[in-house]
Amino acid sequence: MDKSDEIGSRTWEQEGPVKEGENKKHSRDFLKGLITGMLIVSLLFLCVCAGGVLYWFYNGRAVDTAAEGSQESVITADTFEKMKIIEDAISEYYYYEDKVDAQGMQEGIYKGMVNSLDDPYSEYYSKEELEEVINSNQGISYGIGAYISMSKQMNMAMINGVMEESPAQEAGLREGDIIYEVDGESTQGMSLTQVVSLVKGREGTTVRLTIYREGEVDFQRLEIKRSKRLETTTVDSGMLENADHIGYLRIREFDTVTVDQYTEAMAELRGNGMEGMILDLRSNPGGDLSAVVEIARKILPEGLIVYTEDKQGTRKEYTCDGERELDIPLVVLVNEYSASASEILAGAIQDYHKGTLIGTTTYGKGIVQQIHRLEDGTALKLTISAYYTPAGRNIHGVGIEPDIELEYDYDASEADGSDNQVEKAIEILNEEIAKD
């Protein structure tokens, strides 16, 4: 599947600023890639520069930089001369030459070029990483049955949900757990794609996770046996037992399977007499733009859902005809881990006054990435535009402030399983239903 747009996908784009540790890792990848990939890149240079023309691919088209002069090329005679000097030194002096992984080093060149952009949302994907991204966004998993995103505070991978009857649930993984190590390898500075690729693997094999859990002194060390292919459930729903005629629907992420799952859940809730709904977008890291737009068309009135603007100022609009507008009171739950596509939906609902937002200020990711496939089966994911809510808000780095600010009560949840944000939502919905 070749997406035209991808916003904050589960395998995600790393959310949050790049810390020093990650910058150092990027530099290491870049340098070791330069060293061992010299010959291959030299051949590539000869091919693409034949006739004195260099091409850079942007948004699926080739741009003649010699003609446009939009960017000074980093591929120069001086660059190759220095690469050759380094390569010769490695060949002559490097003690561990037998341990050099040429293919891995070559990949380091391409990763290093993208990492040098200092954009945590832009990535180079190997063939294997691209396949994982595609599978994840289609709701297919071969791992342990856990949803993984990035913790903004820790800048590390975090468990943001666990599937029912999955290996992750059986091993005791919890939402909010920080993945500190995978098979003894520190995840500090890794992108989410890298962490996910380490966690997942062949069916029947075991992965060892070192987990940091807030409030506990010692790390949790868990061994989890990887499962067979899992079909991801991105939507959970049901009628609330302690509230008459109020339905609850949680979207964990926006994948291609989410639209059908949302439609089926809404039909069931309607059939059970739902008169008001809680839409839970807490810890939803985002996902596919087309998926969130389709769901927004089942909620919003006629008008603009979201629009994007690229560096040329070209505007692209996503609209709704209003024919399937939600006709019952709505409350939306958000938190600091609600990002990207979930912020598009929450922002549009807020702009149209279509529902009440409860919780804490959202993550604040207001930019769009696009995957560009390359002919050799690899790909680039690059930031291509910024997005704006219907009212023209760009929430990048700012987030969406809820209508009712309410911190989640973790102590009460641990003590008796209660959810103070859901309870507040029930209160608001009961008031709205009584008015009708």
Side-chain angles (χ1 to χ4, degrees), residues 351-381:
D351 282 358
Y352 283 107
H353 305 288
K354 191 62 189 173
T356 302
L357 270 60
I358 296 177
T360 53
T361 301
T362 62
Y363 184 88
K365 181 178 181 291
I367 51 178
V368 180
Q369 284 68 47
Q370 187 176 76
I371 292 179
H372 304 256
R373 293 173 182 266
L374 305 181
E375 290 184 357
D376 63 354
T378 61
L380 297 175
K381 182 179 71 176

Side-chain angles (χ1 to χ4, degrees), residues 267-284:
E268 183 175 349
L269 292 173
R270 292 280 197 181
N272 288 325
M274 178 175 65
E275 297 179 7
M277 186 174 80
I278 299 172
L279 176 59
D280 192 347
L281 299 179
R282 292 176 296 184
S283 300
N284 181 318

Side-chain angles (χ1 to χ4, degrees), residues 14-249:
Q14 173 183 336
E15 303 288 2
V18 180
K19 292 189 175 180
E20 180 181 1
E22 185 165 5
N23 285 329
K24 290 179 179 178
K25 181 180 184 299
H26 289 176
S27 299
R28 291 196 300 270
D29 287 345
F30 188 39
L31 289 175
K32 71 181 183 180
L34 289 176
I35 292 168
T36 58
M38 170 67 186
L39 293 178
I40 287 181
V41 176
S42 298
L43 292 173
L44 177 63
F45 177 76
L46 292 174
C47 293
V48 300
C49 292
V53 179
L54 175 66
Y55 289 92
W56 168 252
F57 287 90
Y58 175 74
N59 204 23
R61 66 185 182 91
V63 179
D64 181 349
T65 58
E68 295 192 7
S70 60
Q71 176 179 330
E72 182 180 354
S73 174
V74 298
I75 304 175
T76 65
D78 289 342
T79 303
F80 281 101
E81 181 180 356
K82 186 168 184 177
M83 289 171 65
K84 181 59 178 173
I85 292 171
I86 294 172
E87 183 187 45
D88 288 345
I90 291 296
S91 178
E92 184 172 354
Y93 300 115
Y94 186 53
Y95 182 77
Y96 297 106
E97 185 177 5
D98 60 328
K99 295 183 179 180
V100 172
D101 178 1
Q103 182 177 354
M105 298 280 185
Q106 292 155 14
E107 294 289 314
I109 293 176
Y110 317 127
K111 288 184 180 290
M113 290 184 71
V114 179
N115 290 341
S116 70
L117 300 174
D118 198 25
D119 176 6
Y121 305 109
S122 293
E123 292 188 70
Y124 168 86
Y125 291 137
S126 66
K127 293 179 182 179
E128 295 75 19
E129 290 169 340
L130 178 60
E131 181 180 2
E132 178 59 44
V133 169
I134 293 170
N135 284 339
S136 295
N137 291 320
Q138 289 178 335
I140 300 171
S141 171
Y142 294 91
I144 61 174
Y147 303 93
I148 304 177
S149 61
M150 294 298 291
S151 166
K152 186 175 183 179
Q153 286 79 6
M154 300 288 288
N155 197 30
M156 298 181 76
M158 175 188 74
I159 302 297
N160 78 329
V162 177
M163 298 180 197
E164 293 291 330
E165 301 179 358
S166 67
Q169 186 183 61
E170 293 172 3
L173 272 180
R174 300 181 190 172
E175 184 174 335
D177 284 347
I178 300 296
I179 303 176
Y180 188 74
E181 291 180 344
V182 181
D183 288 331
E185 183 175 355
S186 172
T187 62
Q188 181 65 48
M190 288 187 181
S191 70
L192 192 74
T193 302
Q194 292 171 313
V195 176
V196 169
S197 67
L198 292 177
V199 172
K200 294 187 175 182
R202 289 182 292 109
E203 177 186 356
T205 58
T206 298
V207 61
R208 292 177 291 111
L209 301 183
T210 302
I211 298 298
Y212 168 74
R213 185 169 292 163
E214 188 174 359
E216 297 187 8
V217 177
D218 296 327
F219 286 96
Q220 301 285 326
R221 290 176 173 82
L222 306 176
E223 287 197 4
I224 307 175
K225 189 174 182 180
R226 296 182 176 100
S227 178
K228 61 184 179 181
R229 169 176 166 147
L230 300 166
E231 296 293 336
T232 305
T233 300
T234 62
V235 175
D236 301 317
S237 64
M239 299 297 294
L240 295 179
E241 295 180 357
N242 58 339
D244 292 336
H245 306 301
I246 293 178
Y248 171 88
L249 190 150

